[in-house]
Amino acid sequence: MKQAGFPLGILLLLWVSYVTDFSLVLLIKGGALSGTDTYQSLVNKTFGFPGYLLLSVLQFLYPFIVDPENLFIGRHFIIGLSTVTFTLPLSLYRDIAKLGKVSLISTGLTTLILGIVMARAVSLGPHIPKTEDAWVFAKPNAIQAVGVMSFAFICHHNSFLVYSSLEEPTVAKWSRLIRMSIVISVFICIVFATCGYLTFTGFTQGDLFENYCRNDDLVTFGRFCYGITVILTYPMECFVTREVIANVFFGGNLSLVFHIVVTVIVITVATLVSLLIDCLGIVLELNGVLCATPLIFIIPSACYLKLSEEPKTHSDKIMSCVMLPIGAVVMVFGFVMAVTNPQDCTHGQEMFYCFPDNFSLTNTSDSHVQQTTQLSILNISLFQ
């Protein structure tokens, strides 16, 4: 919302969710047309080894660099402990269907976090000054916003794994399941984004939790719930990374020993990356434009266009022809903009309104807010 503009942000969220729904169904249709049952085998049959290798890199990188457990109090110790105690054991499962109940718990915690963000929009929002351009229709960084939204909706890299775990999998059943999931997801995303942006407007950080003050016990509980959701969700992403390694280097099958070794290596390196990075925003942007965008927009469309024998005027082909170039534009320009103009990041510092001595709730004029912000930044640097 901050990057795209509030109204345009809502429209882009709805559009990305529609494209995600379409491309997920398109992916399974492509598998049916080619007689394949994995994303990699679909691309391999359609574009040969170069396409297979490119997809393998994208599928490997997407879950590999997403481990954003960002708790500021002893975060290195907490990340290390939670990884050894929970993430690694869950990631050792060989059947993705066994992670279903774990994902259900994660969904429940997400709903709880959503309630916390909504509550703070009501109780905290009126006391945070609104930035001058808070309600403009569109902003020049909208392409970056599409990258982040793509990250939020991407699940193509494990779609065949989930599809194969269904009882009596069919394209029609998959379409109904995806449509229901996307509707729920876009509702949660819109409420999250709206409540967060209405609370902080132009002060919104790449990681929304960075906007809240450390002495807010309710939000601290929300951070804890968020950490749990990451712990419970990451094993599914690790599952995909391990499958890519198995397909590329071991012919698709891993013995028990290599299964454990590969899992430990992936988890270890990903955890080391998470220990070094404390800015979630840049991770979301780069991952969104470099990995999520081609996996959502480009590759499913390209595979379907090459495999389908439907006439050029068929709706699926028209939509695919629209998605493919849009995805290429978002990927190229989104990467350039993410590097040259990354999202704000506090690196764990508290926002100016968390210091009552430096922030007055009785006067929120633009000039006063500017002066107050400058004083607060100065005082924050003095406190350090």
Side-chain angles (χ1 to χ4, degrees):
M1 299 300 178
K2 177 183 175 181
Q3 292 178 315
F6 183 70
L8 180 60
I10 294 288
L11 296 176
L12 285 175
L13 263 177
L14 294 173
W15 177 72
V16 171
S17 67
Y18 172 77
V19 170
T20 302
D21 175 85
F22 177 81
S23 63
L24 281 169
V25 175
L26 207 63
L27 203 59
I28 299 302
K29 286 184 178 179
L33 289 171
S34 62
T36 56
D37 57 0
T38 68
Y39 204 164
Q40 289 173 290
S41 58
L42 166 63
V43 175
N44 189 26
K45 190 164 185 177
T46 308
F47 295 105
F49 182 74
Y52 170 82
L53 190 60
L54 174 62
L55 178 70
S56 297
V57 171
L58 293 175
Q59 282 190 293
F60 178 82
L61 287 179
Y62 172 76
F64 186 76
I65 63 175
V66 185
D67 194 5
E69 295 151 292
N70 194 8
L71 304 177
F72 296 118
I73 300 178
R75 62 182 297 268
H76 294 81
F77 172 75
I78 293 174
I79 290 175
L81 180 63
S82 62
T83 299
V84 174
T85 308
F86 300 105
T87 307
L88 179 58
L90 289 173
S91 299
L92 288 171
Y93 277 120
R94 305 192 73 152
D95 184 3
I96 197 170
K98 293 183 178 180
L99 297 173
K101 293 181 180 179
V102 173
S103 298
L104 182 62
I105 296 173
S106 178
T107 303
L109 290 174
T110 300
T111 306
L112 184 59
I113 299 170
L114 179 60
I116 293 173
V117 173
M118 293 172 64
R120 281 296 175 259
V122 175
S123 61
L124 182 61
H127 303 300
I128 305 296
K130 309 307 176 189
T131 51
E132 185 177 357
D133 61 346
W135 313 117
V136 298
F137 180 82
K139 295 182 181 180
N141 294 336
I143 291 182
Q144 287 176 270
V146 174
V148 176
M149 294 172 189
S150 300
F151 174 91
F153 284 98
I154 179 67
C155 53
H156 298 60
H157 53 296
N158 55 27
S159 58
F160 278 100
L161 294 172
V162 177
Y163 177 75
S164 63
S165 70
L166 298 176
E167 294 182 5
E168 301 178 3
T170 63
V171 174
K173 187 176 182 179
W174 174 255
S175 300
R176 291 194 301 270
L177 175 66
I178 287 301
R179 193 147 294 122
M180 179 179 65
S181 301
I182 293 295
V183 168
I184 295 173
S185 298
V186 73
F187 172 77
I188 292 175
C189 283
I190 288 178
V191 175
F192 254 121
T194 301
C195 291
Y197 187 77
L198 289 179
T199 305
F200 303 108
T201 58
F203 301 116
T204 307
Q205 300 297 299
D207 179 359
L208 184 61
F209 276 130
E210 290 189 5
N211 279 99
Y212 298 101
C213 304
R214 294 181 184 176
N215 61 356
D216 190 329
D217 294 336
L218 181 61
V219 174
T220 298
F221 175 68
R223 292 189 181 101
F224 171 77
C225 292
Y226 174 66
I228 298 299
T229 62
V230 173
I231 290 172
L232 298 180
T233 304
Y234 192 76
M236 290 191 69
E237 309 301 334
C238 179
F239 198 103
V240 178
T241 302
R242 187 173 58 233
E243 185 195 40
V244 170
I245 295 174
N247 289 337
V248 174
F249 298 105
F250 298 95
N253 295 312
L254 288 175
S255 65
L256 178 60
V257 173
F258 277 105
H259 172 85
I260 296 174
V261 170
V262 170
T263 302
V264 170
I265 292 175
V266 170
I267 293 293
T268 300
V269 179
T271 301
L272 291 175
V273 172
S274 73
L275 293 174
L276 298 174
I277 299 176
D278 64 352
C279 283
L280 183 59
I282 188 64
V283 174
L284 299 180
E285 284 190 5
L286 291 178
N287 219 335
V289 297
L290 293 180
C291 297
T293 298
L295 288 173
I296 291 178
F297 291 85
I298 300 175
I299 297 177
S301 301
C303 288
Y304 184 79
L305 288 173
K306 189 168 183 180
L307 292 171
S308 176
E309 297 180 355
E310 298 287 349
K312 294 182 179 180
T313 56
H314 191 275
S315 59
D316 287 350
K317 280 202 168 182
I318 294 175
M319 184 64 181
S320 298
C321 289
V322 172
M323 285 169 51
L324 202 155
I326 290 178
V329 170
V330 171
M331 185 177 178
V332 174
F333 287 95
F335 174 72
V336 173
M337 295 178 72
V339 173
T340 58
N341 186 28
Q343 290 191 50
D344 294 337
C345 182
T346 66
H347 297 284
Q349 298 178 0
E350 289 200 87
M351 301 295 289
F352 67 90
Y353 45 74
C354 295
F355 298 89
D357 293 339
N358 301 325
F359 180 62
S360 170
L361 299 179
T362 60
N363 186 350
T364 57
S365 65
D366 291 342
S367 60
H368 177 77
V369 170
Q370 184 177 6
Q371 293 172 1
T372 303
T373 304
Q374 292 171 347
L375 287 172
S376 301
I377 293 173
L378 175 60
N379 283 332
I380 289 173
S381 64
L382 291 175
F383 291 154
Q384 292 180 331

